[in-house]
Amino acid sequence: MDLIGTILFDFNQIMRYLFKFKTLVNSSCLEWRYTYPLLEEAGLETWAFDILGWGFSDLGKLPPCDVTSKREHFYKFWKTHIKRPVVLVGPSLGAAVAIDIAVNHPEAVESLVLMDASVYSEGTGNLATLPKAAAYAGVYLLKSIPLRLYVNFICFNGISLETSWDWTKIGRLHCLYPWWEDATVSFMTSGGYNITSLIKKVSQKTLILWGEDDQIISNKLAWRLHGELPNARVAQISNCGHLPHVEKPATVAKLITEFVRETCRSKVVESIS
């Protein structure tokens, strides 16, 4: 392979990683704008939390944004404001975040809901070894409108152009923060989440939700995850892509509410027994 071919090959590899990186980690609490009110209407106390370095984190001074920093930031928030075990809900790479927290701080997690879970990737892959200049150039692309429009086309199942444009504008709002590129590069070069070995250590009851038409992560992995988690069940959502809580909020809210109530009843029975 000649030099030009090598450069193009490497660039294509980088773009594939960046595209995957965009679809899995680059979101905010605004993703819950449809489902959040439905959960509260169902009587569930609900918190929408932006993990350190993502979403609308208030980072005047940029801290490290690696996995350990993200985990401990969440734990300190939980310890300060919530102070009791929660049902931790994680979509996409958020599922890896949830598992990491559940295993390392089990006292904070009553049970888990994992949606279209990205838990089998080996961190950020080749992105971790990029030169800083290339990393920043790639991150700059992540907030571009054309890329985000295309990602919406892949993530969701047959939404209109008008809806896709609306969701694109909402989805990139947090990328306009002055610290966003630095925080994203910090996470990217840290190696990211590689939690496959932690899955079998999860002791909490788990609900696995998956969009049947997910084009980002095959719904077949729902059954692999079900087989590796010691106490889990699966619910697949028809006519739905990669982000069920955006595309099918009523269905997701209903399934989460039923799971929470069922888990609470089981806990009462166990305590009586």
Side-chain angles (χ1 to χ4, degrees), residues 51-128:
I51 295 293
L52 178 70
W54 296 337
F56 299 98
S57 304
D58 185 10
L59 301 181
K61 182 179 180 181
L62 185 71
C65 291
D66 57 13
V67 169
T68 300
S69 299
K70 291 177 186 294
R71 180 202 311 137
E72 297 312 309
H73 175 254
F74 173 85
Y75 183 67
K76 288 177 182 177
F77 176 87
W78 173 84
K79 200 171 182 179
T80 301
H81 297 285
I82 302 178
K83 304 176 184 177
R84 61 188 184 279
V86 300
V87 179
L88 197 54
V89 184
S92 195
L93 191 66
V97 178
I99 287 174
D100 179 64
I101 293 169
V103 171
N104 286 285
H105 293 296
E107 70 277 16
V109 183
E110 177 71 32
S111 55
L112 293 171
V113 178
L114 309 178
M115 292 194 292
D116 296 70
S118 173
V119 293
Y120 293 112
S121 60
E122 297 181 358
T124 54
N126 289 347
L127 295 180

Side-chain angles (χ1 to χ4, degrees), residues 7 73 159 161 222 228:
I7 293 172
H73 175 254
I159 62 173
L161 181 60
E228 294 181 6

Side-chain angles (χ1 to χ4, degrees), residues 126-146:
N126 289 347
L127 295 180
T129 61
L130 283 179
K132 278 290 180 71
Y136 274 96
V139 166
Y140 182 80
L141 288 175
L142 291 181
K143 64 181 177 182
S144 69
I145 290 176

Side-chain angles (χ1 to χ4, degrees), residues 24 92 116-119 210-211 214-219 221 242:
L24 297 182
S92 195
D116 296 70
S118 173
V119 293
W210 220 286
D214 189 342
Q215 297 183 62
I216 304 297
I217 305 176
S218 170
N219 65 352
L221 288 178
H242 183 61

